[in-house]
Each structure stands twice: as C-alpha cells, then as structure tokens.
Amino acid sequence: MTRSTSSRLIVGAALRSPGWFALFVLASVTVNVIAVVVPSALAEVINAVFLGSGEGATVLRFGVLVAVAVLAQVLIVLSATGCCVAGTLWIRRRLVDHVLALPVRAASRFPTGELTTRLNADAASAGQLLVCLTGSVLAATTALAALVVLFGMSPWFGAVFALGVTPMILLAKRFLSCSTGLHLRYQQGLAALATLLHDALRGVRTIRAAGTADREVHRVLGPLPELAAAGDALWQVQRNMVWRAMLLVPLTELVVLAMAGFEVTNGRLTAAELLAVSGYLMLALGLFGQIDGLLGLAADRAGVQRVAEVLGTAPQRVTAVPRPLPDGTGALSFRAVTVVDGGHLLLDRVSLEVPGGASLALVGRSGAGKSTLAALVGRLVEPDQGTVLLDGVPLGELDPAELRAQVGYAFERPVLFGATVAEAIAPGTGSRRSLLVAAATAADADTFIQRLPGGYDTALADIQLSAGEMQRLGLARAIAGHPRVLVLDDATSSLDTVTEAHIARALATGFAGRTRLLVAHRAATAARADLVAWLDDGRIRAVGPHVELWPDPRYRAVFGPESLEQW
C-alpha cells in the first residue's frame, strides 16, 4: 500500500505542473545531448585550427553548441524550481486534507511535531524527487552514451572503463540504500524533538510554576543522542563512499588515458582525438562523482516514504453514493457498538436509543466510555463493530459534510479558529451577525464579548481568555450552526453552577425539539437532562431519569463528594 502510494505521490507531484516538467526534461535532454557531442566537436575545432581549413565555421558551430547549452542550463534551473514548488504545494495540500479526513484515533498516531516535520521538510523532499530522479537517469544515460562512444573509438577503452566502474555501481547502490534508511532515522529524530518541544511550549506556564525547566530541557533534548548517532552514521557512509570513489575513479581514468596516450604514440589516435577520449571519459565518470546528488536522492526517498506513510493511513470511510438525511429531530440509535483502541476495550456492545429532541446525560467514572460514545455521533471515532444511526440513517452512509452540519460539538478545551471573535464563533464570514449574537447569548458569552475593545470584531490574538470564556465561545460555535444534534463533551466544566444552569435553560428553549448529548460530571447537570445513560467499563449499566437512578448508592458515587454536596 505504501509503495503504491509513494509511486502515485512521486508522479502526481511532477504532473501538477506538466509544462514545467516537460520543459525540464527537454532542457535536460538538450544539455546531455550537447555534452555527448562537445568532446567530438572540440576535437574538430582543434583539428580545423591546426590544419587551417574551415576553422571559422567549425568554431561558430561549437560556439552555438555552448550557447544553447548555457541557455538550456538556465531553463533547467527555472523549470526545476517551478516543478518542485508546484509539486510541494500539492503534496502539502494533500497531507492537510488527508489528516483532517482521518478518524481521530488514526490521526492521533501522528503527533503535532511529527506532522509539522512531514508537512515541511518531508513534503519538500517528496515534491522534488521525480525531478532529481529524472536528472540522475539522464546523467546515467549520458554516461552510457559516452561509454558507447569510447567503445567505438577503441573496445579496450570501453572494456577498461567497464571493469573499473562496476564496483562503483555496486557501491552507489549500497550507498543509496543505506543513506535512505539513515535519513529516515534522522528525520524521525527531528520529528521526535519537534513533538517534545511543542508539548513543552503548550505547558510552559505549568513548567514555570513547578520550577521544572531544567528537567524539561533534558526531556526535550532526549532524542539528541539518537539524532547525533544517525547523523554520524550518515557521514560515515558518505565518507566510505567518497574515499572509494576517489580511489577507483582516478585509477580508471589513469588507465584509460594511458592506453589512449599509447594509441597516440602508435599513430592510431590524433592529439585532438586524445582530447575527445579524455572528454568522454570524464563524462562517463561524472555520474559517480556526484556523491552529494546521491545523498540528496536518498533524503528525497526518505521524505516520500514518510509522506506516503501518512497518506497510506485509511481515511474515514465514505459510501460511494451518500444517502440524504431525512427530516428529523436527531434521533440516535447505537446498535451493539464496540470500540477497541490499542487492545483496550473502550465500548463493549453498547446498544442505546436516544429519542429525537431529548437531552441525554452520559455519566460514569473516568474511562467508562462517555467521551468515546459521544465521539461516535459525529464519526470522530469509528466503531469497530456495530452501527450508529441518525434519524434512521447509518452514519457511514451520510455525506460527511452533511453530518458535520447536523452534529455540533463543544469540548472541554475548545480550539478557536479565525482572526476575530466573530470568525471563532462562525468560521467564514457568511453568517449573519444576528445569528452570531443569538448563539453567543445562548452560550452566555455575549456579555463579555460586548466588553471587548472591538466587540465581536476583536482580534483573537489581542485578548487573553479564561478557560470559562473559551468554553463559552466553543459552545457558541457549536450552537451557531443550529444542528439537529448538539454534543457537549464536558463543555461546561470550567463554568460555575449558576452560569451552567443559565446555559442549560437557554439550550432547552433554543434547542427545543433538538437532541442534546451531555458528558456530565456534576449531579446537577445530569438532573437537568431528560434521560441519563450510566456507563461502567464500556457498558451501559442503566438508562433512565436521574431521579430514578439517584437512590442507587453506586450511581451517586459516580459524581464524587463535591458533586453530591452541590446536588
């Protein structure tokens, strides 16, 4: 799967700009053809000058060849840049689109620092691989053509060259294979370092408050030994390749030129033809002098593998012909749903019916499966077995865009997007201000928003929000789309009980006839819901109104002493 993805990625990146790629190939072929012609053309110029016949026309032809080669070389640089930029941009867009389409559990395999590294350095490497590979293939073709010319001038020249260059080919192949693996190790070390640094920056206030900065520095720099080892091994492989090349290449060149000199002394070659032999020999050996080029090719191959690993991760399943969602009030049906993560059973054959328009509180101890069950509604998590239906339609048969529009989420720690407060509530500028204000009012956020310097147009970067204010903006964002199902995953945990009660009343009024799922940790929150689903170790222990479940001491124990006092 990854190899197939890699192949499509390499070709697709180059074909994002077919004009640039075609120009690159044409210019490269032109330069390589001229390179093969130049030694013979130079020999003709020397012969013409010494013989004194037709030197003007010969020199002019040679000058035209050189001028065309220079122009083609300029075009190679321009077209390669255009092709690589377009390919890299395409790969980065594919990566972002693919990651955002992954189920939450699949996306969590790639930490933020890891994805950042793949999106930047690895995508750039992948975007230029086919250009580099094409250049290497053409260089190899040119070297082969030069070898054929050497055979034509004397079979002994070609035979000696082939004998000397065979070990070089084996060395280059081994070098490319080893370098790719070492580049993978090195890039993985960089990604680990970036991930640890990202985590440390997110928790910088806690680190300072705890006085653990020195310990955190050691933790962040933990991957450095592995990074240094991979880098050292990479240079060791390169060093071994270079000294062998420096031994074999001059030795081969010396033997062939000595044979050519012997042919000159015997009168079978002219001095000009000796110069041509030297030119073709250097041309044939040129491929093996490009150690840096092979190293770059290895880095690009490693980049392609790392990008392909992400793209090869199965995205969210989408039916070929999505079914339309019928009118309804958000009735939910969980039918024998099982969710397993890393061998750990999160939900075990859960069956639950949520009437349309009802409010359902999900309660249970930490790890009981509340958030997992809530995540199933919007396909943030896929069931390993069983089916979830919305108004009678299996979620997997719905268009993902329609599902996102009909299921709104508010989380304990919301992430706000957009430049302004208004954009954070309703991404994009299409929503009417009255809808934004209504959503913010229902989330009890309008009052503090109006106190901001620019109100709803205040830039997010210019303000510091408390955890409760962040939660209220996240809740307003979920309400603004007026979905038929609203999921609150501990979305009011940072609010005081009075504010939470006010929001609950607003939702009961504004969302009358719509379904609400609440991950609840407070007894008061569960009491305001129409129904309570009590989860324990991934199973439904009981379903019913809070008042009916409350007499059970095991149910009361779920909320803990603090919640009992509030209740």
Side-chain angles (χ1 to χ4, degrees):
M1 177 65 180
T2 303
R3 179 170 296 182
S4 174
T5 303
S6 299
S7 302
R8 291 196 301 270
L9 190 68
I10 295 169
V11 176
L15 296 183
R16 290 309 95 191
S17 52
W20 281 122
F21 187 68
L23 180 60
F24 170 76
V25 173
L26 179 62
S28 299
V29 169
T30 300
V31 166
N32 284 278
V33 168
I34 291 176
V36 173
V37 173
V38 159
S40 295
L42 184 58
E44 289 181 9
V45 169
I46 293 173
N47 281 332
V49 169
F50 276 107
L51 295 176
S53 60
E55 65 270 20
T58 305
V59 171
L60 179 61
R61 287 196 299 271
F62 186 77
V64 170
L65 277 178
V66 173
V68 172
V70 170
L71 176 61
Q73 194 65 52
V74 171
L75 292 177
I76 286 175
V77 175
L78 290 175
S79 58
T81 301
C83 193
C84 292
V85 167
T88 300
L89 180 60
W90 175 72
I91 290 173
R92 285 175 175 160
R93 283 176 174 168
R94 279 200 65 189
L95 265 175
V96 172
D97 290 344
H98 190 83
V99 168
L100 294 179
L102 289 175
V104 173
R105 283 185 295 166
S108 64
R109 289 177 46 204
F110 305 101
T112 303
E114 181 77 33
L115 283 175
T116 301
T117 304
R118 299 191 193 217
L119 188 63
N120 291 318
D122 295 333
S125 296
Q128 66 186 18
L129 177 58
L130 189 58
V131 169
C132 295
L133 190 59
T134 302
S136 297
V137 169
L138 289 174
T141 304
T142 303
L144 183 60
L147 179 59
V148 170
V149 174
L150 284 176
F151 266 108
M153 298 180 76
S154 170
W156 289 107
F157 295 163
V160 171
F161 176 84
L163 184 64
V165 88
T166 299
M168 282 294 300
I169 294 175
L170 298 176
L171 282 173
K173 182 179 179 181
R174 184 170 180 270
F175 172 76
L176 189 59
S177 176
C178 291
S179 297
T180 299
L182 289 172
H183 268 289
L184 277 173
R185 277 181 58 193
Y186 191 81
Q187 288 165 333
Q188 287 164 357
L190 284 177
L193 193 66
T195 298
L196 291 171
L197 179 59
H198 174 267
D199 292 342
L201 291 175
R202 288 185 62 189
V204 67
R205 289 190 300 177
T206 303
I207 293 169
R208 288 181 179 176
T212 58
D214 291 340
R215 188 188 311 165
E216 227 16 64
V217 168
H218 287 296
R219 188 181 73 88
V220 171
L221 298 182
L224 275 184
E226 173 62 21
L227 199 63
D232 183 65
L234 198 58
W235 287 115
Q236 292 287 347
V237 170
Q238 186 175 6
R239 184 196 66 181
N240 292 336
M241 176 68 181
V242 168
W243 78 259
R244 287 179 172 87
M246 291 180 65
L247 178 65
L248 288 171
V249 170
L251 183 61
T252 302
E253 184 180 3
L254 179 63
V255 173
V256 173
L257 287 178
M259 293 179 64
F262 182 74
E263 293 293 297
V264 171
T265 59
N266 287 338
R268 288 191 286 268
L269 281 180
T270 65
E273 289 173 330
L274 174 62
L275 183 62
V277 169
S278 176
Y280 285 118
L281 181 60
M282 293 300 295
L283 196 61
L285 289 171
L287 177 63
F288 304 102
Q290 300 298 318
I291 305 301
D292 289 340
L294 287 176
L295 196 63
L297 199 59
D300 294 343
R301 286 181 62 193
V304 167
Q305 289 182 32
R306 284 172 54 78
V307 171
E309 184 182 358
V310 179
L311 296 179
T313 305
Q316 194 172 61
R317 298 186 301 273
V318 180
T319 186
V321 182
R323 286 177 57 182
L325 188 63
D327 293 336
T329 53
L332 292 169
S333 180
F334 301 84
R335 298 179 179 174
V337 173
T338 296
V339 177
V340 181
D341 186 18
H344 181 58
L345 190 62
L346 302 181
L347 292 176
D348 185 10
R349 294 166 293 175
V350 169
S351 293
L352 177 65
E353 298 293 331
V354 184
S359 59
L360 174 76
L362 302 174
V363 305
R365 297 183 185 277
S366 178
K370 304 181 298 296
S371 292
T372 302
L373 186 64
L376 288 168
V377 180
R379 296 188 71 191
L380 304 184
V381 170
E382 297 282 5
D384 293 287
Q385 295 178 13
T387 308
V388 183
L389 297 90
L390 173 59
D391 284 325
V393 181
L395 298 185
E397 298 180 12
L398 289 172
D399 185 331
E402 185 173 13
L403 180 63
R404 284 193 295 271
Q406 295 300 332
V407 178
Y409 275 93
F411 298 101
E412 178 184 6
R413 296 182 181 86
V415 178
L416 302 179
F417 302 100
T420 65
V421 172
E423 290 181 5
I425 295 174
T429 58
S431 297
R432 298 194 305 272
R433 182 56 59 94
S434 60
L435 296 179
L436 298 181
V437 174
T441 301
D444 200 37
D446 179 69
T447 303
F448 83 79
I449 293 174
Q450 296 290 0
R451 290 199 297 263
L452 295 174
Y456 284 86
D457 297 318
T458 303
L460 285 175
D462 296 338
I463 55 176
Q464 290 287 335
L465 298 173
S466 68
E469 289 168 341
M470 292 277 286
Q471 281 194 343
R472 280 181 275 176
L473 286 181
L475 183 57
R477 179 175 59 194
I479 296 171
H482 206 63
R484 67 177 67 182
V485 178
L486 181 63
V487 182
L488 278 62
D489 190 351
D490 208 13
T492 57
S493 59
S494 296
L495 306 179
D496 58 80
T497 53
V498 175
T499 302
E500 184 187 19
H502 175 77
I503 292 174
R505 286 193 297 269
L507 291 179
T509 302
F511 265 74
R514 304 270 174 157
T515 304
R516 283 146 288 149
L517 253 66
L518 308 95
V519 175
H521 293 280
R522 294 173 177 170
T525 305
R528 283 190 289 267
D530 298 323
L531 291 171
V532 173
W534 176 14
L535 284 89
D536 188 19
D537 289 334
R539 295 184 178 183
I540 297 290
R541 187 158 188 167
V543 177
H546 175 77
V547 68
E548 294 181 5
L549 299 176
W550 187 252
D552 190 331
R554 292 167 298 181
Y555 175 76
R556 294 198 302 272
V558 166
F559 299 99
E562 183 179 350
S563 295
L564 290 179
E565 291 174 6
Q566 293 174 354
W567 171 241

